[in-house]
Amino acid sequence: MSMERVSSIEEARGALRRARLEGRTIGLVPTMGALHEGHLSLVAASRARCDLTVVSVFVNPTQFGPGEDFDAYPRDLDADTALLEAAGVDALFAPGTAVMYPAGAATSVDPGPLATLWCGASRPGHFTGVATIVTKLLSTVGPDVAFFGEKDYQQLKVIERVVTDLDIPTHVVGCPIVREPDGLALSSRNRYLSAADRTHALVLSRALASVRARVDAGETDGAALQRELANAIASEPGITLDYAAIVDAETLESVSELRRECRALVAARVGSARLIDNVALSPASSHACR
Ligand code: AMP
């Protein structure tokens, strides 16, 4: 069956009405387009788990701050449509800005303290924009399951918080980070990188992998690991560190001693791109608790 393309909220609800009445499960993959294999891995996860897969493509203005890359953000709806059709997606929801934010729209979703850490500190208001648009997409599509990448780890935790706090009847699933063979995490923003930028950017995944190896070898000192991560990135030319953090995997608070599942998070500017990456850290004591 060919993919249905809808751009209004009424059309999106109408397209799914029958499936819902028939008791078919709906999976949603929210994206900002400029699609790559990372996005397609979420589509594959949705198709494996749900009867119907809906992908949204919307470059959400409220999650960009003044001076950020909203205008420059890559947009290629024709290429995205072809990729999604080939991937077996059932419906594409690609609304315009006036559909999601009509004149007079004034409500936003504040995800609380989680949204003030890390990327939230560097990008004030970012996670309120994310939480607002995701809430609206969940309200429009009403999916049984929504799929998000661990690539945006803090975003995933913010969305889990919002869905829990607002009693949204959608199950949130986090999917693993898809990387290039040399380790670079796939991102729509990698299109901004020159060949030299791209080489510098590899320090992010390399430094994360080395911190992970140190934890696997028994290191549990959060401050020491944080220093190693920051120093490795700072020693690479052409890259400016925003933050490097060793955090609890659920609260995202810095940890001094790794006892439970943790996460190493980094953000850095390379050329005109702000890149983020992260890796899971599982100290030996966290295995014992399982
Ligand atoms: P974006 O279009 O960048 O807003 O991303 C849409 C979704 O795709 C988010 O849930 C991202 O976390 C996810 N995503 C982006 N890049 C990757 C990647 N390299 N691996 C897995 N998921 C990703």
Side-chain angles (χ1 to χ4, degrees):
M1 227 182 70
S2 74
M3 183 172 76
E4 193 155 355
R5 287 181 62 170
V6 293
S7 57
S8 74
I9 288 173
E10 298 70 32
E11 280 177 317
R13 290 202 171 121
L16 298 169
R17 197 164 289 132
R18 186 191 199 121
R20 211 183 307 282
L21 283 174
E22 290 171 353
R24 295 162 73 200
T25 55
I26 298 171
L28 173 66
V29 178
T31 81
M32 297 205 300
L35 300 179
H36 51 64
E37 288 295 329
H39 298 113
L40 296 180
S41 74
L42 305 185
V43 168
S46 174
R47 293 193 71 226
R49 182 157 173 167
C50 300
D51 297 324
L52 222 101
T53 292
V54 181
V55 175
S56 61
V57 171
F58 180 64
V59 184
N60 174 36
T62 65
Q63 70 189 70
F64 290 79
E68 290 190 351
D69 59 342
F70 175 70
D71 290 330
Y73 198 85
R75 293 162 170 87
D76 192 347
L77 192 56
D78 289 341
D80 290 346
T81 304
L83 280 174
L84 295 174
E85 185 118 44
V89 167
D90 299 281
L92 164 61
F93 177 45
T97 304
V99 166
M100 298 315 284
Y101 298 108
T107 302
S108 59
V109 177
D110 175 357
L114 208 48
T116 63
L117 301 167
W118 315 119
C119 282
S122 307
R123 307 182 67 190
H126 170 66
F127 287 118
T128 297
V130 168
T132 303
I133 196 63
V134 170
T135 302
K136 286 168 69 67
L137 291 168
L138 295 176
S139 153
T140 299
V141 173
D144 298 279
V145 191
F147 297 84
F148 295 89
E150 291 182 349
K151 161 74 170 42
D152 299 85
Y153 191 77
Q154 187 175 5
Q155 169 174 281
L156 172 63
K157 293 294 133 184
V158 162
I159 289 163
E160 286 174 354
R161 180 83 265 149
V162 167
V163 163
T164 299
D165 291 353
L166 299 184
D167 309 308
I168 297 173
T170 295
H171 185 64
V172 172
V173 170
C175 300
I177 301 175
V178 178
R179 298 178 180 280
E180 302 276 11
D182 60 10
L184 184 68
L186 296 192
S187 164
S188 304
R189 291 190 167 96
N190 291 350
R191 298 184 189 202
Y192 301 149
L193 301 175
S194 68
D197 291 339
R198 200 188 170 291
T199 306
H200 297 316
L202 289 176
V203 73
L204 297 178
S205 52
R206 211 166 48 229
L208 288 167
S210 125
V211 160
R212 181 182 201 150
R214 298 265 292 120
V215 172
D216 289 345
E219 179 62 79
T220 59
D221 181 340
L225 290 164
Q226 188 271 340
R227 264 194 315 274
E228 281 180 33
L229 187 57
N231 289 342
I233 295 168
S235 66
E236 177 74 22
I239 183 160
T240 309
L241 183 65
D242 178 355
Y243 64 79
I246 308 294
V247 303
D248 181 277
E250 290 308 313
T251 66
L252 304 190
E253 299 283 356
S254 285
V255 290
S256 49
E257 177 76 18
L258 279 72
R259 288 197 207 92
R260 306 196 302 151
E261 275 293 316
C262 289
R263 210 90 192 178
L265 308 176
V266 295
R269 186 159 287 283
V270 190
S272 63
R274 183 177 181 280
L275 302 181
I276 56 173
D277 199 352
N278 69 86
V279 75
L281 303 175
S282 307
S285 53
S286 74
H287 303 299
C289 302
R290 288 218 183 111

